[in-house]
Amino acid sequence: MINMMWKVVLCGLLLSLTTAASGKPNSEVVWNVNTDEKLIALTFDDGPNPVYTPQILDLLKEHDAKATFFVLGKRVQMYPAIAIREVNEGHEIANHTFDHHYLKNVSPQKLVDEIRQTQEVIFDITEQIPHVFRPPGGFYNDALLHSAKEDQLTVVMWSWYQDTKDWKRPGVDKIVHTVLSNVHNGDIILFHDLEGDCSQTVEALKRILPELKKQGYQFVTVTDLIAKTRK
């Protein structure tokens, strides 16, 4: 009962922070999925990374797990073979803008232009058209949401308690604890395969993937998870 009360309080607090940082909460933005099935979406932002994304792909393949990669257009251009591998191995490739500008620092139109540029880059290289978009830093407003809807993109964030903050390199144990300590059906988990050292993420996945499989969870793409939403 106490734990549930704290979850309600924390959820309200996060909603307030989201409203302040990202514009008012919007029902069109997906944070997690309400499902009775033991399904989880693993997501990776800011890649591809030439060293660590292949290691992540190897681990996903080993555990028969599918994931969603929110890629930057510029890094897909730099590492096209990795983006093609992501698609060929059954993962979802999604849009994270071209150059990772935060909405608080640039105009909505700037991001819209980058989103469309990235759509073209991804299609030219992988022959896939992304259907999912995540705004850098989680910053959005009504204008950006309207443009995303016009471009038939679903805006997807992450479960508020499943932000591993692995980009800060907090330690493998911390990353593992964040994911395993409060896992639920329909979670969208946020990892990164960004430029730089992602070794902690790789090591954490070596422990997270088998443990969640042991608990009966299956790893699906964001789009497949959304399709399982309980009506």
Side-chain angles (χ1 to χ4, degrees):
M1 183 68 176
I2 294 175
N3 287 340
M4 182 58 67
M5 287 176 60
W6 275 112
K7 286 180 182 179
V8 171
V9 171
L10 287 170
C11 194
L13 177 60
L14 179 83
L15 199 58
S16 298
L17 292 173
T18 301
T19 303
S22 310
K24 63 185 179 182
N26 191 296
S27 60
E28 296 176 357
V29 179
V30 178
W31 290 82
N32 62 287
V33 169
N34 187 16
T35 178
D36 293 325
E37 299 182 54
K38 299 198 77 170
L39 302 174
I40 287 175
L42 307 175
T43 67
F44 298 87
D45 283 11
D46 305 344
N49 181 306
V51 175
Y52 296 102
T53 303
Q55 295 180 41
I56 291 169
L57 289 168
D58 289 345
L59 286 169
L60 294 173
K61 187 174 184 179
E62 177 184 343
H63 293 282
D64 193 27
K66 303 307 178 188
T68 300
F69 290 87
F70 286 88
V71 298
L72 299 179
K74 68 177 183 180
R75 297 189 66 78
V76 171
Q77 287 183 332
M78 294 168 65
Y79 308 108
I82 299 176
I84 291 169
R85 180 183 171 185
E86 290 171 354
V87 170
N88 286 346
E89 294 187 1
H91 304 293
E92 181 171 23
I93 194 163
N95 195 317
H96 198 45
T97 75
F98 190 83
D99 204 21
H100 204 269
H101 292 297
Y102 288 172
L103 180 60
K104 64 180 182 178
N105 297 328
V106 299
S107 68
Q109 188 58 50
K110 167 66 174 173
L111 280 195
V112 170
D113 291 343
E114 285 203 14
I115 293 165
R116 291 172 179 169
Q117 179 185 10
T118 300
Q119 291 288 92
E120 293 177 4
V121 167
I122 291 172
F123 180 74
D124 287 345
I125 290 173
T126 70
E127 299 183 351
Q128 298 293 307
I129 300 176
H131 301 291
V132 180
F133 164 68
R134 175 177 286 161
F139 293 98
Y140 62 84
N141 61 16
D142 287 342
L144 187 62
L145 294 180
H146 178 73
S147 293
K149 186 175 182 179
E150 279 191 338
D151 290 348
Q152 298 182 318
L153 285 166
T154 300
V155 178
V156 172
M157 307 297 275
W158 55 86
S159 303
W160 62 269
Y161 46 85
Q162 290 289 13
D163 181 356
T164 64
K165 294 183 169 55
D166 56 341
W167 59 273
K168 292 184 176 181
R169 305 189 73 245
V172 175
D173 289 345
K174 177 68 173 176
I175 297 170
V176 172
H177 178 75
T178 296
V179 175
L180 298 184
S181 64
N182 202 20
V183 65
H184 299 84
N185 297 354
D187 279 356
I188 300 173
I189 303 175
L190 175 59
F191 297 102
H192 293 80
D193 60 338
L194 73 176
E195 182 178 5
D197 184 356
C198 302
S199 59
Q200 291 187 2
T201 301
V202 172
E203 291 305 311
L205 286 169
K206 291 178 181 179
R207 293 162 55 183
I208 290 168
L209 289 169
E211 177 57 31
L212 289 180
K213 281 186 70 175
K214 182 180 177 182
Q215 293 181 29
Y217 286 100
Q218 298 179 51
F219 309 100
V220 298
T221 66
V222 162
T223 294
D224 286 345
L225 182 64
I226 292 171
K228 296 292 186 178
T229 300
R230 183 171 58 199
K231 304 300 183 183

